[in-house]
Amino acid sequence: MAENRQSAEPVVSDVQKKIKAAFEAFDYESNNTVDVREIGTIINSLGCFPTQADIHDFIAKVEEAHTGYVHLDKFLPAMTKVLLEHKFPPIPEDVLLQAFEVLDKEKKGYLEPEELTKYMTQEGDPFTQEEMDEMLTAFTDHETNVIYYKDLISQLTIDPDM
Amino acid sequence: MGCGMGKSQQLKKCDRAIRAALLIQRWYRQYVARLEMRRRCTWNIFQSIEYAGEQDQIKLYNFFGFLMDHFTPASSERSLISHIFRENEICRDIEWERYFCYKGIEVPDSYTGPHLTFPMTFCGVSKLVEAFKHKHNGLPSSEKPYVFNGDFVDRGKNSLEILLILFGFLLVYPNDVHLNRGNHEDHIVNLRYGFTKEVLGKYRVHGKKILKLLQKIFSWLPLATVIDHKVLIVHGGISDMTDLDTIAKLDRHKYVSALRPPKLTHHAVNGNKTQTMNSRNGEADRPAEGRRRVCSLTHHGSPPARRHDFPRRSLHYPPVSSQLNWPVEEELKRRRRLAGFDQSYGELKRSDSDSDPESGETTETDENEWKQWTCCGVTQCPRMAAFPNEVRGGGCYWGPDVTEKVLGRHNLQLLIRSHECKQEGYEFCHDRRVLTIFSASNYYEVGSNRGAYIRMGHDLIPHFAQYQASRTSRELTLRQSVGWTERSALQALRGQLFAHKSDLISAFQEFDPNNTGTISLSHWASATEKVLNLGLPWRVLRPQLVSGSQYGMVNYQQWIRELSITEPKLEISDNSILETMYKNHSNLETIFRIIDTDHSGSISVEEFHQTWKLLSSHLKTEISDKAITDLAHSIDFNKDGSIDINEFMEAFRLIEV
């Protein structure tokens, strides 16, 4: 995010505009509220990498008392803080590679779909069946039916100038 | 967990695995979320452009109004204008029967498709369905009644086949199959959106006849269906005035098209007309913004004061009647003609055309009827009219209070409507009292949305079946389907940007006093939104629209240059003409197709010239006669004195970047 850093002011306002733009994409009724279930997506789309726990904590702070909605008034300051403090920083490629290598116990250089499924659906913040199906469809090599994780990581990098 | 080692080593190893899994999950979810954001933006683009298209149609209507108001017997465009507003060739009943009799049509021996006999039987319809190789999932029958909620045609290449299937079943099960009229069951809309082209392409000899007949059929389609006195189904929607009794009583077939301008009758040439024109000119300054734009789904009640009745210039009786010196009987006669009520139909009683003692009341009723008819959603409704803050798409165009009022008035429990594409094929709003159902999957592009239909039993609780046509779209990964749809949306968006090129440049230059050619990303976003007014998240779209921006700055001059790549065929030096033409090309196409009465696919250079002159006068753009002539000649690609309408449209396709 190589913004022109002449003074702190313009940076904050730019950040806020970015946040508002992302928020608006999910503001279906044009009334500055979004469904709480979209918050994770919005935070992620702003270049952050929160864990599920991070998302839940964030929601707890901004949700309108059990309505299922979040208003921009609360979202904006909270999200601005997150971005300015780099609270949920991206995962470096080499760290990600190491993670895959941990799962690839036999050091094959690839993962079998069943292996990956086991970890993704049983450990950590488990995937839903839908998430798992989607990941397998996207990642599995069509010919060899395995997952070449090294290639994937380089293919799916972030857009640097979000 | 299957780690067979010493305890502390065991924990450490499993710990690492868990942490690794967490990391991968976190990374993957982020990736999916970004795709979801792109999908969301793409959706917004399509919706905005669709709404802009609807606004465009309003412009067309205004243009017709302008023609009427400025028509003088002396004007050189008189014959063209008369031609545009030509009489409907409505035959008398006997002639009608003969003209449309199918028995006289010769079917060549080479035809291998199904032969149908009347009265239509289930066998016959099945043959049809089979012939279209349609995968069906429960055909209509008396045990399985269906309601089809409008917009059967336009967009897609098999509109006619779909109509035939629907009509077939309607004939076999007239009490169990119900078709509501949608805004696309309208011959002028069909000119713009492709159904006319489809019919003429498939039926070279009988196409025109078919279209004429369909025009009549469409006008007879019911506007609304009510299930068990509890569920109301209309295509578009309602307004606070919606009254089912009025709708049930009105002669719906007299409303042939929402966009059809009124005919110019003899009265147009005499003195009275001038007075009408004068009084109407007074209203001409106010933008006929189309129907009232109501609030989006906010929790406070209906808004605004700003209500414009649509349409202002035709069937609608001018609001300030005292200003007119137009004799009432003349007005009534004229208005009945406008509505397609031809005397030769035998439906207009002689006495009606003379002085009508109940004139005041009748006209009010007629006005009310027209409003009711338009409210069922048979006309285009601008969603993004005059309210800048509510410019974003999505949301009904009447407030929840109106829903309550209308449902309460008739003791109904649910309103089902269509007209708006929904990502999941259906969507509730207004506290689950309004249900939007949209059955065309992949509406904007392959993978853009699912389609759905409603199943309803005696309990009147809606159950949904969702689907997505085309196997390919189901097998696409999320990334692929988002990418595909996105490309299509962006291409459409580029078209919009290009159409507003000079306005954009001016807006950018306001932020660039030193004329450096670059502005900040922030300024780029706000300027673009100001000009296009599409309510899109430009900052989020920026990566896909602007290549290579550096340090948060956009080189707008270069960007505009990149946008301006059109098909090389159009060699027009005057950029402002090109831009104006591009901005209005859809409406121009519609006008040309109206002019092209014999559906030959072309119009004369002269007709093109005159149309253009009229349009530029209406739009108040200054274009010299010579410029238009040059333009006409450059579009006449094969130099035969006529302009091929399809070629004209092709010339406006931006090269895909």
Side-chain angles (χ1 to χ4, degrees):
Chain A
M1 203 169 81
E3 296 274 330
N4 215 340
R5 287 182 193 277
Q6 278 177 338
S7 65
E9 275 285 344
V11 173
V12 170
S13 74
D14 268 350
V15 160
Q16 295 203 321
K17 282 192 191 146
K18 217 180 281 214
I19 294 171
K20 275 193 204 153
F23 188 90
E24 273 167 12
F26 292 91
D27 177 15
Y28 303 142
E29 299 172 18
S30 307
N31 57 1
N32 285 333
T33 57
V34 303
D35 189 310
V36 72
R37 290 165 290 185
E38 314 272 26
I39 293 295
T41 307
I42 300 175
I43 299 178
N44 276 317
S45 74
L46 288 165
C48 301
F49 284 76
T51 64
Q52 298 297 83
D54 291 330
I55 295 176
H56 289 139
D57 290 341
F58 186 93
I59 289 176
K61 277 186 252 171
V62 299
E63 185 185 352
E64 298 289 322
H66 310 301
T67 55
Y69 286 101
V70 173
H71 201 279
L72 183 62
D73 292 344
K74 288 208 179 133
F75 183 79
L76 188 58
M79 195 64 221
T80 308
K81 193 155 184 273
V82 163
L83 287 182
L84 292 179
E85 294 176 11
H86 305 288
K87 269 205 180 141
F88 309 128
I91 302 169
E93 275 187 37
D94 53 337
V95 172
L96 193 54
L97 183 58
Q98 276 175 29
F100 274 106
E101 283 169 348
V102 165
L103 301 187
D104 179 14
K105 286 198 281 232
E106 295 148 41
K107 309 295 167 222
K108 307 185 295 293
Y110 58 81
L111 283 170
E112 304 276 351
E114 302 76 38
E115 275 182 285
L116 188 58
T117 304
K118 188 185 79 175
Y119 286 112
M120 295 292 103
T121 57
Q122 291 174 20
E123 309 287 6
D125 287 329
F127 275 177
T128 62
Q129 189 56 48
E130 213 184 313
E131 281 176 303
M132 196 64 236
D133 290 342
E134 171 55 42
M135 188 188 226
L136 288 177
T137 317
F139 290 0
T140 313
D141 182 293
H142 287 282
E143 283 160 37
T144 56
N145 205 38
V146 295
I147 294 128
Y148 296 104
Y149 49 83
K150 256 187 234 159
D151 300 333
L152 279 177
I153 294 170
S154 46
Q155 271 174 38
L156 303 177
T157 39
I158 304 182
D159 174 4
D161 205 54
M162 258 300 288
Chain B
M1 266 181 276
C3 327
M5 303 175 111
K7 199 166 182 209
S8 62
Q9 271 179 319
Q10 213 175 19
L11 281 173
K12 200 172 167 204
K13 240 202 143 92
C14 292
D15 210 27
R16 282 176 64 207
I18 296 175
R19 273 188 285 133
L22 274 170
L23 209 72
I24 295 171
Q25 285 156 345
R26 185 156 53 108
W27 165 76
Y28 180 73
R29 281 176 170 136
Q30 209 271 1
Y31 157 73
V32 167
R34 277 187 292 122
L35 282 179
E36 184 51 39
M37 175 59 93
R38 280 168 60 189
R39 189 222 285 277
R40 191 65 229 156
C41 288
T42 305
W43 184 263
N44 287 347
I45 294 175
F46 279 128
Q47 294 229 291
S48 303
I49 291 181
E50 188 174 39
Y51 301 162
E54 289 177 1
Q55 282 282 64
D56 218 25
Q57 293 237 266
I58 310 286
K59 281 194 220 154
L60 180 66
Y61 201 88
N62 289 345
F63 176 56
F64 287 144
F66 165 85
L67 289 180
M68 277 164 45
D69 288 347
H70 291 85
F71 173 87
T72 62
S75 70
S76 51
E77 292 90 16
R78 174 209 169 125
S79 67
L80 179 72
I81 298 180
S82 297
H83 188 60
I84 292 179
F85 299 131
R86 68 188 171 276
E87 310 222 342
N88 264 321
E89 304 132 29
I90 304 176
C91 322
R92 278 196 289 270
D93 281 321
I94 334 151
E95 286 179 10
W96 179 271
E97 288 285 326
R98 205 183 307 144
Y99 180 64
F100 285 111
C101 184
Y102 66 92
K103 293 189 182 132
I105 295 179
E106 247 193 66
V107 181
D109 294 324
S110 52
Y111 175 72
T112 54
H115 288 256
L116 302 173
T117 55
F118 295 94
M120 185 70 116
T121 59
F122 179 77
C123 230
V125 190
S126 309
K127 269 198 274 182
L128 245 193
V129 169
E130 263 315 297
F132 295 154
K133 295 197 180 86
H134 196 76
K135 260 205 287 195
H136 47 264
N137 212 343
L139 295 174
S141 65
S142 18
E143 288 79 45
K144 211 177 265 194
Y146 271 77
V147 178
F148 294 95
N149 202 15
D151 279 8
F152 314 122
V153 299
D154 282 329
R155 303 196 216 267
K157 297 181 284 197
N158 296 306
S159 299
L160 197 50
E161 285 80 354
I162 290 178
L163 262 192
L164 289 175
I165 293 177
L166 292 175
F167 288 162
F169 277 104
L170 180 58
L171 288 170
V172 179
Y173 301 109
N175 297 318
D176 302 298
V177 174
H178 308 274
L179 307 180
N180 281 348
R181 187 177 185 184
N183 59 301
H184 280 268
E185 276 69 63
D186 179 325
H187 67 288
I188 296 206
V189 175
N190 298 151
L191 282 171
R192 184 194 170 106
Y193 286 99
F195 179 55
T196 310
K197 233 189 281 192
E198 180 189 326
V199 173
L200 293 172
K202 288 177 178 170
Y203 292 92
R204 310 251 160 177
V205 177
H206 300 291
K208 285 179 283 175
K209 213 182 262 195
I210 294 174
L211 287 169
K212 261 256 108 42
L213 188 49
L214 281 173
Q215 202 176 308
K216 198 179 183 198
I217 296 175
F218 286 164
S219 73
W220 276 105
L221 290 174
L223 300 172
T225 301
V226 181
I227 299 180
D228 286 354
H229 305 288
K230 283 284 160 212
V231 179
L232 171 63
I233 310 175
V234 288
H235 173 74
I238 55 175
S239 79
D240 62 353
M241 282 169 29
T242 297
D243 185 301
L244 295 185
D245 301 317
T246 311
I247 293 177
K249 276 192 289 201
L250 66 80
D251 286 325
R252 61 184 186 269
H253 66 93
K254 71 185 186 195
Y255 300 109
V256 178
S257 164
L259 297 176
R260 180 65 169 172
K263 282 171 19 185
L264 290 177
T265 65
H266 299 305
H267 306 293
V269 238
N270 66 24
N272 284 335
K273 174 72 173 172
T274 329
Q275 284 171 318
T276 314
M277 284 204 297
N278 286 340
S279 62
R280 270 200 286 187
N281 277 337
E283 295 164 12
D285 296 323
R286 250 186 298 160
E289 291 279 350
R291 301 183 56 243
R292 44 179 281 181
R293 161 76 179 138
V294 289
C295 60
S296 58
L297 299 171
T298 50
H299 304 294
H300 37 275
S302 330
R306 232 194 304 170
R307 284 162 192 227
H308 296 279
D309 298 310
F310 174 69
R312 211 166 251 301
R313 297 172 206 268
S314 82
L315 303 178
H316 184 230
Y317 191 71
V320 195
S321 51
S322 55
Q323 282 179 12
L324 282 179
N325 292 327
W326 186 261
V328 174
E329 318 82 74
E330 298 285 39
E331 177 64 23
L332 277 178
K333 219 191 323 189
R334 191 177 79 89
R335 291 185 57 246
R336 282 201 171 86
R337 290 246 185 81
L338 299 187
F341 238 126
D342 196 307
Q343 296 201 322
S344 60
Y345 245 127
E347 302 194 46
L348 182 61
K349 299 194 284 289
R350 287 288 149 194
S351 53
D352 284 351
S353 56
D354 300 332
S355 64
D356 192 337
E358 295 175 68
S359 55
E361 233 181 275
T362 318
T363 53
E364 239 179 73
T365 315
D366 282 348
E367 170 188 335
N368 184 39
E369 265 189 18
W370 170 250
K371 280 185 184 162
Q372 298 274 341
W373 186 78
T374 60
C375 288
C376 289
V378 186
T379 59
Q380 299 292 350
C381 304
R383 268 157 277 212
M384 296 165 64
F387 302 90
N389 292 330
E390 294 167 38
V391 127
R392 201 112 349 93
C396 309
Y397 17 168
W398 62 94
D401 55 328
V402 173
T403 299
E404 278 316 302
K405 194 167 161 196
V406 173
L407 293 184
R409 187 180 287 154
H410 298 287
N411 212 7
L412 300 161
Q413 72 190 34
L414 177 65
L415 165 66
I416 298 179
R417 43 88 68 167
S418 303
H419 194 55
E420 277 180 77
C421 185
K422 297 293 176 192
Q423 193 136 36
E424 291 301 314
Y426 72 93
E427 192 174 279
F428 279 103
C429 65
H430 292 182
D431 210 20
R432 292 183 80 89
R433 299 275 265 165
V434 176
L435 171 56
T436 302
I437 187 73
F438 199 89
S439 306
S441 65
N442 303 333
Y443 178 64
Y444 292 126
E445 182 51 81
V446 175
S448 67
N449 65 290
R450 294 158 101 179
Y453 63 89
I454 304 171
R455 276 196 295 261
M456 207 173 247
H458 289 294
D459 54 6
L460 298 181
I461 296 177
H463 300 271
F464 302 97
Q466 293 165 296
Y467 47 83
Q468 201 150 17
S470 133
R471 189 169 300 141
T472 356
S473 65
R474 285 196 295 275
E475 285 172 356
L476 288 176
T477 62
L478 182 60
R479 185 185 191 190
Q480 284 170 323
S481 89
V482 168
W484 201 329
T485 322
E486 201 178 47
R487 251 195 305 278
S488 180
L490 292 172
Q491 186 63 11
L493 192 53
R494 271 187 217 104
Q496 288 284 313
L497 290 164
F498 176 69
H500 293 86
K501 199 172 74 165
S502 46
D503 290 335
L504 282 170
I505 292 180
S506 311
F508 294 147
Q509 279 170 341
E510 275 178 44
F511 290 113
D512 184 22
N514 301 326
N515 215 14
T516 61
T518 54
I519 52 175
S520 76
L521 185 52
S522 219
H523 289 156
W524 172 83
S526 55
T528 306
E529 177 53 29
K530 185 163 149 230
V531 170
L532 285 202
N533 205 25
L534 286 174
L536 291 172
W538 297 102
R539 298 181 70 97
V540 182
L541 290 169
R542 201 271 319 147
Q544 275 90 359
L545 286 174
V546 183
S547 53
S549 72
Q550 292 232 330
Y551 306 115
M553 302 293 283
V554 175
N555 183 337
Y556 64 88
Q557 281 171 356
Q558 188 190 334
W559 183 58
I560 295 282
R561 267 200 303 273
E562 280 169 6
L563 276 180
S564 308
I565 305 171
T566 61
E567 287 285 309
K569 265 185 172 179
L570 270 185
E571 288 138 24
I572 300 170
S573 48
D574 190 328
N575 278 314
S576 74
I577 296 189
L578 182 56
E579 197 175 311
T580 310
M581 206 155 60
Y582 196 85
K583 244 187 235 182
N584 295 283
H585 73 284
S586 292
N587 283 338
L588 277 171
E589 181 187 4
T590 307
I591 296 171
F592 292 154
R593 294 201 188 278
I594 293 177
I595 292 173
D596 177 24
T597 19
D598 60 355
H599 295 296
S600 64
S602 53
I603 58 170
S604 71
V605 169
E606 186 53 35
E607 284 166 333
F608 175 88
H609 190 126
Q610 288 184 342
T611 304
W612 186 251
K613 261 187 83 181
L614 288 167
L615 185 64
S616 57
S617 168
H618 168 59
L619 296 174
K620 298 198 177 63
T621 53
E622 305 245 336
I623 297 185
S624 72
D625 241 15
K626 179 169 187 313
I628 299 179
T629 312
D630 287 347
L631 173 63
H633 284 301
S634 76
I635 293 191
D636 173 12
F637 297 119
N638 57 2
K639 308 293 170 226
D640 65 349
S642 70
I643 289 170
D644 185 305
I645 302 175
N646 286 329
E647 280 199 330
F648 173 71
M649 294 313 299
E650 275 303 303
F652 283 95
R653 204 185 293 281
L654 286 181
I655 293 185
E656 219 165 302
V657 176

